Amino acid sequence: MFFEDRAEAGRRLAERLVTLRGKDVVVLGLPRGGIPVAYEVARSLDAPLDVIVVRKLGVPHQPELAFGAIGEDGIRVINDAVVKRADLTDTEMALVEQRERWELDHRAARFRAGRSHIPLTDRIAVIVDDGFATGATACAACQVARAQGASQVVLAVPVASRHALQTLAREADEVICIEQPTFFYAVGRWYHHFGQTTDDEVVELLDHAAARAALPQRDPAADPPLRDEEVRVRAGKIELAGLLTVPEHPIGVVVFAHGSGSSRHSPRNRYVAELLQQAGLATLLFDLLTTAEEINRANVFDIDLLARRLIDVTAWLTRQQHVEGLPVGYFGASTGAAAALYAAADPRVNVAAVVSRSGRPDLAGHALTAVRAPTLFIVGSRDHLVMDLNRQAAEAMSCETALMEVPGATHLFEEPGTLHKAAELARDWFTTWLNAATVSESPGSA
């Protein structure tokens, strides 16, 4: 197996595309499995992300043979040679196109959720998928991207069959592929984790890519991060995977704790982390549970287990280059918020601030009264049950606390602008209290 999952494949693929950074690029993911890969590529290149929805037009009596392809906005590409060889009539072609056009419009409406597609005119289109077996859909995507005005078409994929690459080399200006196994079999064989990507996940990734694009852009002349890499952390007998990013001149480090075990891949957490990094905060996103452990839902609510691992990770973090000696903050969501509070109450760690988003602090139990770190509770105004639980937790604590309500937000902060507001609240809380911790620990301070 070459890749842990689609996210890791996307980060490795982005390393092969670094020469495109700073150019007028649009990254286009082929739904559904190509979107998580494309998300990482777009993030690395600081490029916009869009979905490219295409449908092959198959010859009626031989559907695997395409006589053309269609895309959004009425784009239609016809292979006249195939039409002539298959002796297709206008009526036959129209029936196929009508059926495929309905499916295309339905999928595009679902994925876009009201957004219009990003124009490709005179821009470089980077088309990304999680793997090519035959490459037929990618061929159609190349044709549609050119018809939409792309000046250059680059196909990028983590793994593909050699036959598909030979075919695609005739359609794209450039083909980038990390692995080309001699015996290909299926795409999923080359991934350790290859679960189905859902429509909801596609929509969520596109939403957060659009929100990320709206953030103030980093100055290309500024210094690159000191560290931006995958890490492995030993917690007891288990090794946990994480993503550590350290900007230039960090003022503190924030550890993300997510109860579902998906912290380092969560688009919501990645979005918040990027905003924190722009404020000079290092971030560590890691998985509190392994994939095997996450299957048992009881582990998600085992706050003692989650907190122990968070403590182990914090101890490891404080020994790392570039973050050693920095004040530490915890950002927790759902049951991860309970784990963050439980860990913050432990005398073995020194936590300067805690932020809970849509958290379950009630699950921290008696540990709430022992927390000394200033704690911010962020809750959506429409998340009524969690609002009550957070209010009760804040009242039970003796440290500095604040409860901030984000208008119009539900539990997942999916409503436009709500996640950005929550991220701003977290940023302001961390920069205030982590800066204060730095001052109080400096020589000669009162």
Side-chain angles (χ1 to χ4, degrees):
M1 295 178 184
F2 296 132
F3 307 103
E4 180 70 16
D5 50 32
R6 292 182 177 93
E8 189 224 6
R11 286 189 289 276
R12 287 178 55 186
L13 188 60
E15 295 173 0
R16 300 288 188 93
L17 297 164
V18 68
T19 56
L20 295 176
R21 190 179 179 88
K23 297 184 179 180
D24 193 7
V25 169
V26 178
V27 178
L28 303 170
L30 280 164
R32 294 184 295 260
I35 299 298
V37 184
Y39 180 87
E40 298 295 335
V41 171
R43 176 178 176 270
S44 178
L45 297 181
D46 279 337
L49 172 67
D50 203 355
V51 59
I52 182 164
V53 186
V54 300
R55 299 293 293 179
K56 294 176 294 183
L57 301 177
V59 173
H61 56 276
Q62 195 177 351
E64 67 277 8
L65 176 62
F67 68 84
I70 56 173
E72 293 177 83
D73 295 336
I75 294 294
R76 180 174 183 262
V77 181
I78 298 298
N79 187 325
D80 292 329
V82 174
V83 171
K84 183 176 181 180
R85 189 165 68 248
D87 195 24
L88 295 177
T89 66
D90 290 343
T91 300
E92 289 173 323
M93 294 167 61
L95 287 173
V96 173
E97 182 174 350
Q98 182 181 32
R99 182 181 65 251
E100 297 298 340
R101 177 68 64 184
W102 182 91
E103 181 62 27
L104 182 144
D105 291 342
H106 175 74
R107 298 188 78 189
R110 175 73 184 96
F111 295 144
R112 294 201 178 282
R115 292 183 306 272
S116 58
H117 70 78
I118 299 174
L120 298 182
T121 304
D122 297 328
R123 307 176 81 174
I124 301 173
V126 178
I127 299 172
V128 179
D129 204 354
D130 54 8
F132 297 146
T134 66
T137 302
C139 281
C142 288
Q143 296 166 1
V144 169
R146 290 195 193 282
Q148 290 177 337
S151 61
Q152 183 180 350
V153 176
V154 177
L155 277 174
V157 65
V159 61
S161 70
R162 297 184 180 186
H163 173 72
L165 293 176
Q166 291 173 356
T167 302
L168 293 169
R170 297 191 291 268
E171 297 291 342
D173 297 296
E174 185 177 4
V175 179
I176 305 295
C177 181
I178 300 175
E179 302 289 351
Q180 307 170 31
T182 303
F183 302 103
F184 184 78
Y185 305 112
V187 172
R189 180 180 180 132
W190 312 107
Y191 288 82
H192 185 61
H193 300 295
F194 196 70
Q196 183 179 16
T197 302
T198 66
D199 287 356
D200 287 342
E201 288 173 319
V202 170
V203 173
E204 182 181 18
L205 287 168
L206 293 171
D207 282 346
H208 290 295
R212 177 175 52 81
L215 291 173
Q217 294 300 300
R218 180 179 172 273
D219 183 359
D223 293 324
L226 298 175
R227 294 181 70 171
D228 187 17
E229 61 191 15
E230 293 276 350
V231 294
R232 293 281 176 173
V233 184
R234 174 66 61 176
K237 298 180 179 180
I238 296 295
E239 189 175 64
L240 304 173
L243 177 63
L244 176 62
T245 303
V246 185
E248 189 76 11
H249 309 301
I251 62 173
V253 57
V254 177
V255 183
F256 283 65
H258 196 284
S260 69
S262 62
S263 178
R264 68 192 173 111
H265 295 154
S266 164
R268 296 182 185 85
N269 282 346
R270 295 289 286 271
Y271 178 79
V272 175
E274 289 181 15
L275 193 143
L276 298 184
Q277 292 156 18
Q278 291 180 1
L281 292 163
T283 60
L284 174 62
L285 293 87
F286 79 102
D287 300 341
L288 285 167
L289 298 171
T290 66
T291 304
E293 291 172 331
E294 192 180 1
I295 295 174
N296 183 354
R297 290 293 293 172
N299 288 329
V300 175
F301 292 90
D302 189 342
I303 305 305
D304 182 64
L305 169 66
L306 301 180
R308 288 201 311 271
R309 292 189 174 174
L310 186 53
I311 291 168
D312 289 343
V313 168
T314 305
W316 171 89
L317 181 63
T318 56
R319 300 190 299 269
Q320 297 304 298
Q321 186 181 18
H322 303 307
V323 295
E324 184 177 2
L326 290 178
V328 175
Y330 285 163
F331 181 90
S334 189
T335 57
L341 290 165
Y342 201 100
D346 193 289
R348 290 173 293 176
V349 295
N350 183 16
V351 179
V354 177
V355 173
S356 163
R357 178 184 66 80
S358 296
R360 289 291 308 277
D362 56 298
L363 297 177
H366 65 277
L368 289 174
T369 59
V371 176
R372 294 293 174 262
T375 301
L376 171 66
F377 298 98
I378 304 174
V379 186
S381 65
R382 294 164 59 190
D383 195 2
H384 305 297
L385 175 59
V386 171
M387 177 70 75
D388 291 338
L389 294 174
N390 279 251
R391 184 176 291 111
Q392 293 166 16
E395 292 172 352
M397 299 170 70
S398 58
C399 60
E400 180 85 19
T401 63
L403 176 62
M404 299 299 295
E405 178 181 306
V406 177
T410 52
H411 187 68
L412 295 179
F413 285 76
E414 295 176 308
E415 297 73 22
T418 57
L419 183 63
H420 183 71
K421 179 61 177 177
E424 288 182 327
L425 291 170
R427 175 200 62 195
D428 295 346
W429 190 263
F430 283 128
T431 53
T432 297
W433 291 105
L434 269 59
N435 266 320
T438 301
V439 171
S440 67
E441 293 172 5
S442 62
S445 62

